[in-house]
Amino acid sequence: MSIVEGKMASANIKQVAQHAGVSLGTVSNVLNRPDLVSPATRQRVLDSIATLGYVRNDSARQLRAGRSRTVAIVVLDVSNPFFTDVVRGAEAVVEEAGGMLVVCNSGEDADRETRHLDMLEEQRVQGLLITPVSDGRHPRLDAFVAHGIPVVLVDRGSGHPSRCSVAVDDITGGRLAADHLADHGHRRILYVGGPMTIRQVADRHAGAAAALTERADGVRFDVHETPTLSVAAGRQAADDLVALPASRRPTAVFCANDLLALGVLQGLTAHGLRVPHDIALVGYDDIEFAAAAAVPLSSVRQPREQLGRTAAQLLLEESGGSAKHSHRHVVFQPELVIRASSARERKRARS
Ligand code: RIB
């Protein structure tokens, strides 16, 4: 079991399809069922493979070795574009192997997650990718492993001995956001996120708190815990924040993900407050809508499709029974993307 730094992969099947101007399925057929593809199209795809230096995932061939060809992914919130991008990355790898990816939504609800896991175990899927509601020690996950069904945790670090994981260093991500806001003169910063039982939410807060404590420049760092990681919860947090006396309001808000931040932005604007002039704002994920927001959102970027691709590659390697497979915990580093929502220096840092 080892911790490895996430590295950019070589070209993938999606890039080959885009380069050749064909669907993912056509590329998969060229690789697995070339007789189904016209010679001209086949040659065009092969030329793209050569041009891009695409290297097929050898362990993926195992997926067609007469076993189930269905991989399941259980996400926390299917309406969150973060997971859409993660699924897109995983899907490309699974389809390249000639398999199918089935998406299940836990809705951040532990009972619903358990019901999905029970049904997926009955289906004897080839493997399971999951961003768990609770920590990665759910007893159902042990049952999957006991039945020879590999499990990979996604967007969740784990030291668990019997499963791989792919995550982003959320502690560092929290530090990046907090240091950025403190560097811009903010001395009252609010963390909006929850439930704090979700490991990523807790880690982002812990990283921010550690960074601000080490700075020792007297930043007040409060927490507003939300029931979900949604736009609606962000709007509600803005309503609660505006209800505070002006002297107690934060001058900056760091949100556990971009959906919360977009909700906070919407709520503050509805109350006539300006971002960043009155309150600076930073989100997390850097989903496509962050840059497109009415006030472009600063955000801690996660390599979303890469998370999905890497998790699926680990799963296929393990499910292929490769003797070379050893459980790995891949950790990518986050990156702070600064945009208008937090780019303004705070002239007078309120104590
Ligand atoms: O996985 C928990 C959260 O982390 C999700 O809401 C997603 O936005 C990511 O940031």
Side-chain angles (χ1 to χ4, degrees), residues 25 30 84 87 106 129 140 147 154 164 170 172 176 185 189 213 221 223 233 244 250 328 330:
V30 168
T84 307
V87 165
S106 66
L129 304 172
R140 293 290 195 291
H147 288 123
V154 184
C164 295
D170 286 317
T172 298
L176 290 173
I189 301 173
T213 300
F221 187 46
V223 177
L244 293 170
R328 293 194 292 287
V330 179

Side-chain angles (χ1 to χ4, degrees), residues 280-330:
L281 187 57
V282 176
Y284 206 104
D285 293 338
D286 196 27
I287 59 176
E288 185 183 1
F289 301 118
V295 179
L297 182 65
S298 296
S299 184
V300 179
R301 172 177 293 163
Q302 295 204 70
R304 303 174 302 287
E305 287 199 25
Q306 190 85 44
L307 284 168
R309 277 203 297 276
T310 305
Q313 287 163 351
L314 287 172
L315 189 81
L316 296 185
E317 181 186 282
E318 182 173 353
S319 69
S322 162
K324 72 179 180 184
H325 179 78
S326 61
H327 291 315
R328 293 194 292 287
H329 302 287
V330 179

Side-chain angles (χ1 to χ4, degrees), residues 96-169:
E96 171 195 341
M100 177 176 73
L101 184 71
V102 170
V103 181
C104 300
N105 178 39
S106 66
E108 298 176 20
D109 178 300
D111 293 336
R112 191 168 166 188
E113 178 182 78
T114 299
R115 289 196 299 276
H116 282 315
L117 293 177
D118 287 343
M119 286 189 280
L120 290 171
E121 194 192 348
E122 287 167 14
Q123 299 293 321
R124 282 290 186 275
V125 293
Q126 174 69 21
L128 173 69
L129 304 172
I130 183 168
T131 303
V133 176
S134 52
D135 71 14
R137 300 181 186 281
H138 194 305
R140 293 290 195 291
L141 299 182
D142 293 332
F144 273 78
V145 175
H147 288 123
I149 302 174
V151 175
V152 177
L153 301 184
V154 184
D155 190 41
R156 171 66 57 79
S158 161
H160 201 287
S162 72
R163 27 192 168 278
C164 295
S165 68
V166 180
V168 164
D169 179 349

Side-chain angles (χ1 to χ4, degrees), residues 56-71:
R56 184 172 182 172
N57 179 336
D58 288 339
S59 64
R61 299 177 204 280
Q62 303 287 339
L63 193 62
R64 294 188 317 284
R67 306 177 60 180
S68 160
R69 297 170 64 179
T70 302
V71 171

Side-chain angles (χ1 to χ4, degrees), residues 76 80 82-83 131 155 198 200 204 229 256-257 285 302:
L76 280 176
N80 182 345
F82 168 84
F83 289 108
T131 303
D155 190 41
I198 293 181
Q200 298 89 304
R204 292 163 196 172
L229 290 154
N257 77 354
D285 293 338
Q302 295 204 70

